[in-house]
Amino acid sequence: GAGGGFDHFEKKRLQKGYFFELNEIRDTQGKVFPCTEGVIRPAAAEAFPEVTAHGADHAQVELARDVLRGGAGAGTIVGLYFRENAKAQLRSWTEGFAGQAGARAQQQVQVVELCVVDSFLFRAGPLKRVLLQGLRGAPDGIRSFAAFGKLRDFQHALGISNRLTAYCFLVDGAGRVRWRGSGTATEEEIDKLRKAVATFGRE
């Protein structure tokens, strides 16, 4: 309605969307798209979309400009999630890579976790503060950020249609997405990610 509240149709559409997401997760075990074979060529790679995010220290950044482009090393592994219950899936990528990659690979890329918060409740006030404080619990060597709002264009640009799972993107120093995966990482997928990172060192 005009008062900025949810109207009946919007509410119905969101419910329908949620059940679609739930069914898709059940059918795919959270792997809503397969991981990239090899690595996407620079000329064919899309830019990681810009998004305003906040760190555990509450500082605001433009993630692509300030964190992903020209950061330390040759690129960034971005673990992305929307719901707290997808965090174990998220960590299967971020911690899984750190555990298997070895020191050299870890020097080549930085690891970033981004929580996209679309719930209106968490966008302001005390709950937002609690959520940002929670980012401090990230494992060593992982930088954590949260982005707030209905970020439909951001999701669309990354090919994300389901908010109930976790995603992993490998972004090069120019800010282009060169590899992606979803759901819970398998050892084989972490190995593919590690090999994709190794190609950065040779470019």
Side-chain angles (χ1 to χ4, degrees), residues 55-172:
D57 58 358
H58 296 229
Q60 184 173 303
V61 297
E62 297 302 313
L63 195 74
R65 184 193 70 197
D66 300 333
V67 180
L68 306 186
R69 285 202 289 273
T76 308
I77 289 168
V78 181
L80 193 151
Y81 68 113
F82 295 80
R83 302 284 184 269
E84 194 63 25
N85 57 7
K87 209 172 211 174
Q89 293 173 318
L90 172 91
R91 294 274 156 85
S92 73
W93 293 102
T94 54
E95 290 190 293
F97 174 81
Q100 204 203 77
R104 188 164 174 273
Q106 286 184 54
Q107 283 167 357
Q108 275 187 306
V109 288
Q110 59 178 342
V111 181
V112 164
E113 291 179 350
L114 176 65
C115 178
V116 178
V117 184
D118 54 9
S119 167
F120 188 72
L121 287 173
F122 285 93
R123 285 195 226 164
L127 286 177
K128 181 176 181 178
R129 277 200 300 278
V130 167
L131 195 139
L132 290 173
Q133 279 163 354
L135 298 179
R136 291 181 184 150
D140 284 350
I142 295 174
R143 300 175 69 188
S144 269
F145 297 91
F148 298 88
K150 295 272 180 220
L151 302 173
R152 298 259 161 76
D153 291 342
F154 174 75
Q155 283 176 234
H156 186 68
L158 288 170
I160 292 173
S161 61
N162 197 306
R163 294 159 301 170
L164 304 181
T165 190
Y167 298 88
C168 178
F169 298 94
L170 177 60
V171 181
D172 66 17

Side-chain angles (χ1 to χ4, degrees), residues 10-28 32 83 161-164:
E10 172 73 357
K11 201 168 177 183
K12 241 184 152 48
R13 192 184 65 74
L14 284 176
Q15 283 172 344
K16 193 175 169 189
Y18 178 74
F19 288 117
F20 168 79
E21 289 174 311
L22 215 53
N23 287 335
E24 187 180 41
I25 293 299
R26 197 187 59 213
D27 294 343
T28 62
V32 294
R83 302 284 184 269
S161 61
N162 197 306
R163 294 159 301 170
L164 304 181

